[in-house]
Amino acid sequence: MLKRIDVVTLFPEWMQGLAELGLTGRALADGKLDYRCWNPRDYAVGVHRSVDDRPYGGGPGMVMRPDPLANLLDDLKQQTGPAVISYLGPQGRRLDHAGVTELAGRERLVLLCGRYEGIDQRLLDSQIDEEWSIGDYVLSGGEPAAAVVIDAVLRLQPGVLGHEQSAVEDSFVAGLLDCPHYTRPETWRDQAVPAVLLSGDHEKIRQWRLAQALHRTRRLRPDLMAGRELSRDERKALEAWPEEQAEPASRAD
Ligand code: ADE
């Protein structure tokens, strides 16, 4: 279970919203978890106290200098103890549910956000333990990726979602996409909620939801189904509800 998250960022304001709003805000505010941002600017030296400079060899943009970051990481470890340093960058291991589960199971996270064209390679080679990417595209900084990681890992912490079952029933937990969800009104713009959801038969509803998740995954993400054995329970659900939207949102005439 996570006890603390440290984020190294030139834009702590960017990360602040996370600590103030919604689920992450509640989780970070309730005191069970320490959350702190560290700004390399506070560790810059020299007259200009610069955190970035032009790339050797030429080229566009600026590169983050290694020295402020190294000073910061030394201080961070001295103040908070040993830590795995995780860099957010497009060359990293692609984040998926297994990765989120792995990170969520740790005691602490130190997320290092880069800016500009990147970070001096010598810092990465000597101070970084791992790199995580949130997808095959380039962000202008690691902050949105750090926010994604924090949101996803916090949802898996006991007590954070309120309704413990929610995380268990999430998409990807069983390697499947989520089932569709409905709420009031019972009929909206001529579309009624599937009748099974109003039946009060919890086992039938569970089976229907499982069947919908299986149909949806097969249709939208066949890659997730490839080589995946169906459990007995899943086979039974598909037998009971063989068609997608087997109980369609029937049109109210
Ligand atoms: N920083 C820049 N691009 C990124 C990406 N795709 N994932 C994580 N961090 C990044």
Side-chain angles (χ1 to χ4, degrees):
M1 190 171 143
L2 272 172
K3 294 210 173 72
R4 75 172 291 136
I5 300 177
D6 295 285
V7 182
V8 180
T9 171
L10 281 168
F11 298 94
E13 304 83 0
W14 208 108
M15 302 304 297
Q16 209 42 47
L18 209 63
E20 287 163 9
L21 299 170
L23 177 140
T24 51
R26 247 181 297 127
L28 296 172
D30 82 355
K32 274 192 251 155
L33 203 127
D34 287 316
Y35 175 64
R36 181 171 166 189
C37 290
W38 303 69
N39 192 338
R41 223 169 268 292
D42 299 332
Y43 294 84
V45 288
V47 260
H48 300 300
R49 298 179 66 82
S50 59
V51 289
D52 60 321
D53 214 324
R54 292 189 306 273
Y56 278 119
M62 301 289 266
V63 177
M64 285 178 78
R65 290 173 58 116
D67 38 354
L69 282 171
N71 292 342
L72 184 157
L73 292 173
D74 287 347
D75 190 32
L76 185 153
K77 287 178 187 168
Q78 216 216 326
Q79 285 193 44
T80 67
V84 169
I85 310 295
S86 312
Y87 173 51
L88 282 320
Q91 282 136 137
R93 170 174 161 192
R94 178 89 70 84
L95 190 68
D96 59 8
H97 181 68
V100 170
T101 310
E102 192 181 313
L103 293 172
R106 296 183 184 173
E107 292 227 322
R108 69 174 303 185
L109 296 178
V110 178
L111 304 175
L112 169 59
C113 306
R115 276 271 145 185
Y116 315 107
E117 295 305 305
I119 296 181
D120 188 287
Q121 188 61 39
R122 293 166 296 179
L123 184 284
L124 298 179
D125 289 344
S126 60
Q127 306 289 322
I128 298 309
D129 298 296
E130 58 183 16
E131 181 171 344
W132 291 88
S133 165
I134 61 163
D136 287 343
Y137 41 83
V138 179
L139 303 166
S140 54
E143 287 78 6
V148 166
V149 169
I150 293 171
D151 188 290
V153 298
L154 286 182
R155 304 183 80 254
L156 297 187
Q157 301 303 308
V160 164
L161 280 185
H163 195 283
E164 287 306 296
Q165 238 2 62
S166 301
V168 177
E169 289 170 5
D170 265 348
S171 288
F172 304 115
V173 172
L176 297 174
L177 299 180
D178 203 359
C179 63
H181 300 277
Y182 299 88
T183 186
R184 274 190 246 278
E186 209 177 294
T187 300
W188 177 74
R189 295 193 175 177
D190 283 350
Q191 297 173 84
V193 166
V196 58
L197 298 177
L198 309 176
S199 69
D201 184 336
H202 296 299
E203 176 51 22
K204 204 164 153 193
I205 291 170
R206 188 194 65 79
Q207 212 178 47
W208 179 86
R209 286 179 167 154
L210 179 57
Q212 297 311 313
L214 286 159
H215 289 308
R216 229 186 211 193
T217 310
R218 218 176 247 168
R219 180 165 55 86
L220 298 173
R221 291 291 304 276
D223 57 303
L224 293 176
M225 297 299 280
R228 184 184 182 284
E229 293 267 324
L230 292 181
S231 68
R232 229 169 80 89
D233 192 32
E234 289 170 345
R235 279 201 307 273
K236 271 180 68 179
L238 287 176
E239 274 161 33
W241 304 96
E243 303 284 322
E244 186 161 16
Q245 290 295 317
E247 188 82 25
S250 57
R251 303 218 158 242
D253 298 314

